[in-house]
Amino acid sequence: DETHNVAYIAMEIEGMSCNSCVQHIENSVFELPSIYYIRVSLQQRKADIFYASGQITTEEISETITDAGFDVKIMNTRNSNNAIGDVADKVLSMNASDSENNVSGTIQASTVPDTQHLKSSNGYDSNVESFNKSKDKRNTIIGIETDNKIAAAMKSFQMSITGMSCSSCVANIEREIRKKKGIVSIAVALLAERGEVTYDANLTTPTDIVNDVTDLGFGATIISSSDNSNEIELSIDNIINQSTVDEIETYLKGRPGITSAAVSLSSGHGIFGYDSSVTGVRDIIRALNDLGFPALVSAKDDPSKQLNHDKVIKRWRNTFLFSLLCFIPVVGILIASAAMKSTDKQVMVFPGLSLKNLLLLIAATPVQARCRFIFGCKQFYIMSYKALKHGAATMDVLIAMATTIAYVYSIAVIIVAAVMKPDRSPVTFFETTPMLVTFISLGRWLEHRAKRKTSEALSKLQSMQPTDAVLVELDSDDRIINEETISISYIQLGDTLKVLPGARIPADSYIIDGSSLVDESLITGEFMSVSKSKGDIVIGGTINESSVLIIKACRVGVDTTLSQIVRLVQDAQTSKAPVQLLADKIAGYFVPGIIILAIITLATWIFIGFENIFAIKSDFDPSVDNKTEVIMEFAFLCSISVLAIACPCALGLATPTAVMVGTGVGAQLGVLIKGGLPLEIAHKVSVVVFDKTGTLTQGKPRVKETLLVDNGILDYNRLIALAAAAESNSEHPLGSAIVQYAQQKMNMSYLGKTSNFESATGFGIRCHVSESRNVIDLDHGNTSCDVRDVVIGNRHWMKANGISVNAIFHEKVCIRENRGMSVVLAAVDGLLAGAFVITDTIKDDAGYAINCLRQMNITVVMATGDNKRTADAIAKQINIDAVYANVKPSDKIAKVRSLQSSKNTVAMVGDGINDSPALAQADVGIAIGSGTDVAIEAADIVLVKDKLMDVVTAIDLSRTTMQRIRWNYFFAIIYNIICIPTAAGVFKPVGFVIHPWMASAAMAASSVSVVLSSLWLKRYVKPTNKAGFAKRWHKSSSVRYAKLIETVGGNNYGSDLSDTDDDISSPITKQLLNV
């Protein structure tokens, strides 16, 4: 390997607005020579780049980004001499038999000599995360160990935030909190009313952060930590002083399984983190009782109630009803005044003040008043004051300005009229305050009621968790000798529980006695009940329908399937889609822009009025009308209408409402989407790459036939025994199939002892096997040695080990492979001995799912480590467009990158550890729910059920959601484009002018219409076999589709070494073969 001088550079990049900008920068830099790695962060406006310092300069990198249209500032650089070739090869050639920690974990510092910590822009030291050219999400799979002290200091927590009315509030909170010391990142969700903060525990605390949010004028409370750990809050008695607090914390921190302990002297409550595999809530309470501090689990509100918006709905309803009491008299006064207008007479109370203006003043003042007992505009003033204090402008500022200007202007003209004592009372805008507040409160009330429906899916998931469970004790004969009803919070790992018919299963468990039907519809989306019996796994929150079950808890707390699904949905609804970032940015400038526009409108009409009064009032009569009064009346009417009609809320709600409904609907259908980013990218997918084993097939291979070489090397029994003994140390599904086959055929559990075991992912295994004396030797009395050298794998592996395959046996193998069967070759002591013919059933819905994807104009590709003949045979059965055979785990990444380099948006569907790198590399990684934890962690979308039609559902749901988001933005933008100029008086020449109260009604209607538009997604149904499905998405060019098929299908990645084709395996694969 060639040793390079690896250099690091951090750059600050300005001008990025969305994920497309990130991809554009990454692709531009990738084209430069000697670039090992680049990671661009949109949120931090930063790029981390590793390159060969002797072959390219920082100026060249900087110029490339500048030429792409972005401003660049070099932050810092660092050099380190590392042989990165070995690192890249080791990362990309991950062994499938490695543990999850090896795959998704870290390359230890010893692997990379002299690795130095690099100072990043936010002041924290961090190690190089990857030499792989990848995006941020790939770092969960390929990374380098982070400094332990820094990792320990980085904490995160979630908080509930109330009082947000629009995306301007979100932008205000995020902007101000980011300025605080110790804040690493913050993400606030408007609809979920949640915020997730990552912070440096050495510099700040969650309490300080919550106080900072409260100072901004919003309600905030801590919900939980976000480190996926189990936490319990206990109410503790006998806490007298700080010494007792220290005693409790010190004692519990020293107990096994307790990860954290924090006790509050003032509240008498303590929050304890624990490892559920070591200890549990009952153990913690028992320890506190033994210490002399009785404790109970603190009562908490139902988490689903937070999503119901009950408090805010009630508040806006009360505000609307109160405002309505003033609104009705105002409407009556205006109607009566219009009826009397024909007589052109005013009922005067005294000179300058008419009865109409007096009654309007009386009706408007209670709403405008900021007293303690009358709500009125109080909330708008409070929120506006706190926003302006921090240099922000929200929707509340516009409402407060509109009502205040209208009210103060009206008071001012009445005072002037009272002094001048004219014959007529001036025109006022007293009606604006009660009518504007009434319409806005009505709109907010309806809007929050609609918002509650957007989170119904998450509320249903949270409400599935039962409140209590029946804990039982069994004797040696498995008979119940004691049972006790306990709170769900007290369940510990290994508890034996009883579930009655009709009750919900309290935790993920396996059945130790009984059988029943279980309703899993809210978890999997399947409405048919599932039969469960002894040994089967049951999911917490599902419903036991028919019989009593005795179960043993195997996952509790945050580790349960239901908790993980809820967490995924919450994270998805908290995260922001890239399309929303631009809307949030616009919302940040929207309110100040509207205020400036209102001032311009006021000045413009004053200027026009004094230049040409007839442009304002065509029947102006100098003998009757006061010119200044007419001009000021119309100018203020237009400017107030502009303030009242402008609506950033509709723009801000366009994306989050649709994302919340879309991810919620997906969760109900068994499709878990990890945020707005994959939801947005999935609608662009043009190529779907499927893994074969376990994804397109059942993943339960079985040996169908055993082939022997016609030279008498080994007999049937001995070949099976040696192969099974060798494969007993392998985790590969084909190896497991050989072991099971041998145990069934020979009725023996021990078939031999292995040593010097070697495994090469995607190739095969090699080891020494000491034969079992129980295996009958029928080898014609030969006295061969007990220890045999066994090699098992594909043709590549045989060739790498110097083992040849004769032509006759090769023909037998090819016949089986052409039928779609996998053939595993076995050699003993350097000679080919035979082969195992293994079949794996194709999933029932594979063909239909692939046809649906093709109808959606998506190219379907299969990538498999199997040989080309077998892969082609399976592809023909289910109509796959292109096949990449003999693909190793490292080569899957290369193929995904190759497709991406052709400007395709690639989705990868897989289930195994060896699929994890490709899942992370793909634009959208989709993991089958029955797959490994590592694959699920690396994926962007998780399918709860083991059904390929859910891949179609995920992409179809993404397209439908993005279509709805576009409609939302269309409504919001068109509304503001049409209504703001109308309110400013643009159509005055044709005699059309709107009053402030009309503007407020239109503004309220716009927000409600966007939310109702998003709620239309609740009508979404999964794709079915219907004629309209193909027409629904068949809009892209068929020419491009045919060209893509030709390009992809013309390059079968990998080949059989036994054929005459050249080996085009990647350099890493070749290097492994050479080793």
Side-chain angles (χ1 to χ4, degrees):
D1 291 330
E2 183 181 2
T3 301
H4 304 287
N5 185 26
V6 181
Y8 164 80
I9 183 172
M11 293 183 170
E12 182 179 346
I13 303 177
E14 295 291 343
M16 297 185 294
S17 61
C18 63
N19 196 56
S20 297
C21 299
V22 172
Q23 293 180 348
H24 182 41
I25 294 172
E26 288 181 343
N27 292 336
S28 299
V29 176
F30 279 165
E31 294 176 357
L32 296 173
S34 304
I35 297 295
Y36 297 132
Y37 166 81
I38 177 174
R39 181 185 65 183
V40 179
S41 172
L42 176 63
Q43 190 174 29
Q44 297 180 359
R45 301 191 302 277
K46 175 192 171 189
D48 296 304
I49 304 172
F50 291 88
Y51 63 99
S53 61
Q55 302 182 27
I56 191 171
T57 64
T58 58
E59 288 76 14
E60 291 176 302
I61 299 174
S62 179
E63 288 176 3
T64 300
I65 300 176
T66 303
D67 293 342
F70 304 92
D71 297 328
V72 182
K73 178 182 177 182
I74 297 177
M75 301 167 65
N76 52 45
T77 60
R78 191 73 62 88
N79 293 321
S80 61
N81 294 322
N82 299 318
I84 77 157
D86 292 340
V87 178
D89 288 350
K90 179 169 182 177
V91 171
L92 296 177
S93 302
M94 288 183 294
N95 195 319
S97 64
D98 290 345
S99 65
E100 289 182 12
N101 291 335
N102 289 336
V103 177
S104 64
T106 60
I107 299 174
Q108 301 299 326
S110 60
T111 307
V112 188
D114 301 323
T115 301
Q116 299 183 25
H117 295 297
L118 307 175
K119 181 74 72 174
S120 63
S121 61
N122 57 9
Y124 303 113
D125 290 335
S126 61
N127 286 338
V128 184
E129 289 191 343
S130 171
F131 285 103
N132 177 28
K133 296 178 181 178
S134 61
K135 300 177 293 184
D136 286 348
K137 63 174 184 171
R138 296 171 222 161
N139 295 334
T140 59
I141 304 302
I142 303 174
I144 290 184
E145 184 181 19
T146 305
D147 185 89
N148 291 333
K149 294 182 180 178
I150 298 172
M154 293 301 167
K155 303 290 184 181
S156 60
F157 76 98
Q158 296 174 352
M159 57 181 169
S160 170
I161 304 176
T162 58
M164 297 183 292
S165 59
C166 63
S167 54
S168 297
C169 300
V170 173
N172 181 26
I173 295 172
E174 292 181 341
R175 181 179 61 252
E176 294 301 322
I177 297 302
R178 284 196 188 104
K179 296 177 182 177
K180 304 299 180 181
K181 188 176 181 180
I183 300 298
V184 178
S185 67
I186 178 173
V188 177
L190 175 63
L191 292 184
E193 296 186 341
R194 285 159 41 93
E196 186 163 346
V197 183
T198 302
Y199 63 97
D200 187 339
N202 294 328
L203 300 176
T204 188
T205 64
T207 302
D208 294 336
I209 298 170
V210 166
N211 292 336
D212 291 334
V213 175
T214 304
D215 291 341
L216 294 175
F218 304 93
T221 55
I222 298 174
I223 299 177
S224 65
S225 66
S226 299
D227 55 2
N228 291 326
S229 63
N230 283 288
E231 280 188 348
I232 190 66
E233 182 176 348
L234 302 178
S235 176
I236 308 172
D237 292 337
N238 299 340
I239 297 180
I240 303 172
N241 49 36
Q242 187 61 38
S243 62
T244 58
V245 171
D246 296 338
E247 180 184 1
I248 293 172
E249 291 181 348
T250 302
Y251 176 72
L252 285 179
K253 286 179 180 178
R255 290 183 61 84
I258 303 296
T259 58
S260 64
V263 179
S264 171
L265 175 62
S266 58
S267 65
H269 285 205
I271 298 178
F272 304 94
Y274 63 95
D275 183 350
S276 61
S277 64
V278 179
T279 188
V281 177
R282 297 202 306 275
D283 294 335
I284 298 173
I285 293 176
R286 191 179 300 114
L288 287 170
N289 290 336
D290 294 342
L291 196 60
F293 299 95
L296 293 172
V297 175
S298 299
K300 288 187 177 182
D301 293 335
D302 184 352
S304 61
K305 290 183 179 179
Q306 181 191 350
L307 299 171
N308 290 336
H309 301 271
D310 287 338
K311 290 183 179 180
V312 68
I313 289 174
K314 183 178 180 180
R315 185 171 73 245
W316 283 115
R317 183 199 63 191
N318 294 340
T319 303
F320 165 68
L321 294 177
F322 170 76
S323 302
L324 188 63
L325 294 177
C326 299
F327 172 85
I328 294 174
V330 167
V331 173
I333 294 169
L334 293 177
I335 293 174
S337 175
M340 296 174 61
K341 192 172 183 179
S342 58
T343 62
D344 198 26
K345 291 183 179 180
Q346 290 183 335
V347 179
M348 306 296 291
V349 178
F350 56 81
L353 178 63
S354 65
L355 178 61
K356 170 190 172 183
N357 283 340
L358 177 62
L359 294 176
L360 289 175
L361 172 62
I362 295 172
T365 300
V367 181
Q368 185 69 35
R370 294 171 54 192
C371 64
R372 179 177 179 180
F373 301 102
I374 302 177
F375 181 81
C377 298
K378 178 182 177 182
Q379 177 171 281
F380 300 121
Y381 282 109
I382 293 174
M383 297 298 294
S384 299
Y385 169 74
K386 291 184 177 181
L388 293 173
K389 184 173 70 172
H390 294 279
T394 64
M395 187 66 195
D396 296 312
V397 174
L398 294 181
I399 297 171
M401 287 185 65
T403 56
T404 302
I405 291 173
Y407 188 81
V408 171
Y409 169 82
S410 301
I411 291 289
V413 296
I414 284 180
I415 293 174
V416 171
V419 173
M420 298 181 65
K421 298 182 178 179
D423 295 334
R424 299 177 60 83
S425 184
V427 176
T428 62
F429 300 120
F430 283 123
E431 74 277 5
T432 298
T433 296
M435 298 186 83
L436 192 148
V437 172
T438 299
F439 284 123
I440 289 177
S441 57
L442 173 62
R444 295 276 177 91
W445 180 30
L446 296 176
E447 178 185 326
H448 281 89
R449 283 174 60 89
K451 283 180 182 178
R452 178 167 59 185
K453 293 184 179 296
T454 65
S455 57
E456 275 185 353
L458 185 55
S459 297
K460 286 180 180 178
L461 287 173
Q462 291 180 334
S463 64
M464 287 174 61
Q465 185 65 55
T467 56
D468 51 37
V470 179
L471 178 67
V472 299
E473 183 180 351
L474 305 179
D475 60 13
S476 58
D477 295 327
D478 290 337
R479 291 177 298 187
I480 298 176
I481 57 175
N482 186 35
E483 63 179 62
E484 175 188 3
T485 300
I486 61 173
S487 169
I488 197 75
S489 303
Y490 290 92
I491 296 179
Q492 296 185 178
L493 200 66
D495 280 349
T496 303
L497 307 168
K498 182 172 79 170
V499 186
L500 298 174
R504 290 191 181 274
I505 293 169
D508 289 4
S509 313
Y510 61 89
I511 300 174
I512 60 177
D513 187 31
S515 60
S516 180
L517 292 175
V518 177
D519 179 5
E520 299 180 343
S521 58
L522 276 178
I523 296 290
T524 64
E526 289 290 342
F527 292 96
M528 294 292 292
S529 298
V530 182
S531 177
K532 299 286 184 177
S533 58
K534 185 175 181 179
D536 289 339
I537 296 292
V538 287
I539 302 173
T542 56
I543 302 174
N544 175 29
E545 291 190 335
S546 54
S547 304
V548 176
L549 293 177
I550 305 298
I551 60 177
K552 188 174 287 290
C554 57
R555 288 197 190 113
V556 297
V558 298
D559 299 324
T560 63
T561 300
L562 179 59
S563 296
Q564 291 175 358
I565 291 175
V566 169
R567 178 61 187 275
L568 281 175
V569 176
Q570 286 177 335
D571 290 345
Q573 296 179 350
T574 303
S575 66
K576 295 182 180 180
V579 69
Q580 187 182 345
L581 298 178
L582 180 60
D584 288 348
K585 191 172 183 179
I586 293 173
Y589 297 102
F590 188 89
V591 175
I594 291 299
I595 294 173
I596 293 173
L597 183 60
I599 295 173
I600 293 174
T601 300
L602 178 67
T604 300
W605 280 115
I606 291 176
F607 174 78
I608 293 174
F610 281 106
E611 287 293 320
N612 180 16
I613 184 63
F614 295 101
I616 293 178
K617 189 173 183 180
S618 57
D619 59 347
F620 177 76
D621 185 354
S623 61
V624 178
D625 300 319
N626 185 310
K627 182 177 181 180
T628 302
E629 179 185 338
V630 171
I631 294 172
M632 298 305 292
E633 171 202 335
F634 186 77
F636 271 98
L637 181 145
C638 291
S639 62
I640 294 171
S641 295
V642 169
L643 292 173
I645 205 167
C647 184
C649 296
L651 199 62
L653 291 171
T655 297
T657 52
V659 169
M660 176 167 275
V661 177
T663 53
V665 168
Q668 289 182 315
L669 296 176
V671 178
L672 303 179
I673 303 172
K674 297 182 180 179
L677 177 59
L679 182 67
E680 179 175 344
I681 295 178
H683 90 283
K684 304 176 184 177
V685 167
S686 57
V687 179
V688 175
V689 181
F690 283 96
D691 173 51
K692 181 178 76 71
T693 305
T695 303
L696 290 173
T697 64
Q698 297 288 352
K700 298 177 181 178
R702 59 183 181 85
V703 176
K704 184 176 182 180
E705 183 183 3
T706 303
L707 302 178
L708 292 177
V709 176
D710 298 332
N711 57 8
I713 295 176
L714 288 177
D715 65 0
Y716 177 83
N717 288 338
R718 206 162 179 187
L719 173 63
I720 294 176
L722 288 172
E727 290 286 5
S728 62
N729 290 324
S730 173
E731 295 181 358
H732 197 282
L734 299 184
S736 300
I738 294 174
V739 173
Q740 293 176 4
Y741 176 74
Q743 291 174 345
Q744 293 172 359
K745 285 291 183 181
M746 307 188 70
N747 196 24
M748 296 169 57
S749 59
Y750 178 74
L751 299 170
K753 181 181 179 181
T754 61
S755 60
N756 299 328
F757 184 86
E758 299 175 12
S759 174
T761 303
F763 296 97
I765 63 168
R766 179 172 185 169
C767 64
H768 292 158
V769 177
S770 300
E771 294 182 276
S772 172
R773 295 298 179 184
N774 295 328
V775 178
I776 301 174
D777 186 359
L778 299 178
D779 196 15
H780 304 292
N782 288 345
T783 57
S784 57
C785 61
D786 289 338
V787 178
R788 313 299 292 268
D789 182 21
V790 179
V791 178
I792 300 176
N794 55 23
R795 290 183 181 85
H796 294 270
W797 192 234
M798 294 296 147
K799 182 177 180 180
N801 285 277
I803 299 169
S804 61
V805 181
N806 63 62
I808 297 176
F809 193 77
H810 172 68
E811 184 177 355
K812 292 182 180 180
V813 171
C814 291
I815 292 173
R816 273 76 175 177
E817 290 175 341
N818 288 333
R819 297 173 183 170
M821 304 175 188
S822 299
V823 180
V824 179
L825 304 176
V828 178
D829 296 333
L831 296 175
L832 185 67
F836 295 91
V837 181
I838 301 175
T839 60
D840 192 1
T841 307
I842 297 174
K843 291 182 179 177
D844 295 336
D845 63 340
Y848 180 52
I850 289 168
N851 286 333
C852 286
L853 289 173
R854 290 167 59 87
Q855 288 176 352
M856 297 168 74
N857 241 9
I858 294 174
T859 303
V860 183
V861 179
M862 182 174 71
T864 176
D866 216 333
N867 64 83
K868 185 176 182 296
R869 293 185 183 86
T870 301
D872 284 342
I874 292 177
K876 289 177 183 178
Q877 294 181 46
I878 52 180
N879 202 22
I880 286 178
D881 296 316
V883 177
Y884 301 141
N886 294 310
V887 177
K888 314 306 176 287
S890 58
D891 296 338
K892 286 184 181 179
I893 298 178
K895 284 316 300 175
V896 171
R897 286 181 185 161
S898 175
L899 291 169
Q900 289 171 328
S901 66
S902 302
K903 299 183 179 179
N904 293 303
T905 302
V906 180
M908 173 71 193
V909 186
D911 69 324
I913 292 177
N914 61 335
D915 297 323
S916 301
L919 287 171
Q921 170 68 40
D923 298 287
V924 180
I926 303 177
I928 304 294
S930 60
T932 64
D933 291 340
V934 179
I936 292 173
E937 180 66 25
D940 302 298
I941 298 174
V942 179
L943 309 181
V944 176
K945 295 171 291 183
D946 192 13
K947 292 193 174 182
L948 292 178
M949 269 305 295
D950 285 345
V951 175
V952 181
T953 300
I955 298 175
D956 185 56
L957 178 61
S958 171
R959 291 185 177 187
T960 305
T961 302
M962 290 306 301
Q963 191 178 67
R964 182 54 52 183
I965 288 174
R966 293 190 191 100
W967 275 110
N968 288 349
Y969 277 123
F970 175 79
F971 291 142
I973 292 172
I974 290 298
Y975 166 82
N976 284 292
I977 287 176
I978 295 176
C979 291
I980 293 176
T982 303
V986 170
F987 297 104
K988 172 62 177 174
V990 296
F992 183 73
V993 178
I994 63 174
H995 290 263
W997 68 268
M998 301 177 185
S1000 63
M1003 187 272 287
S1006 67
S1007 297
V1008 175
S1009 65
V1010 167
V1011 177
L1012 292 177
S1013 172
S1014 295
L1015 284 176
W1016 194 259
L1017 283 171
K1018 291 174 69 68
R1019 298 168 58 91
Y1020 175 83
V1021 292
K1022 297 175 66 173
T1024 55
N1025 190 11
K1026 54 186 179 182
F1029 180 72
K1031 298 178 182 179
R1032 189 160 141 195
W1033 300 120
H1034 195 72
K1035 298 177 181 178
S1036 55
S1037 171
S1038 58
V1039 175
R1040 176 196 171 279
Y1041 180 68
K1043 185 177 179 181
L1044 178 62
I1045 293 295
E1046 181 180 355
T1047 302
V1048 175
N1051 178 20
N1052 287 312
Y1053 192 81
S1055 62
D1056 275 321
L1057 294 181
S1058 57
D1059 296 337
T1060 58
D1061 301 331
D1062 294 331
D1063 178 22
I1064 57 173
S1065 300
S1066 71
I1068 295 171
T1069 299
K1070 290 181 178 179
Q1071 179 184 354
L1072 181 57
L1073 282 171
N1074 292 334
V1075 172

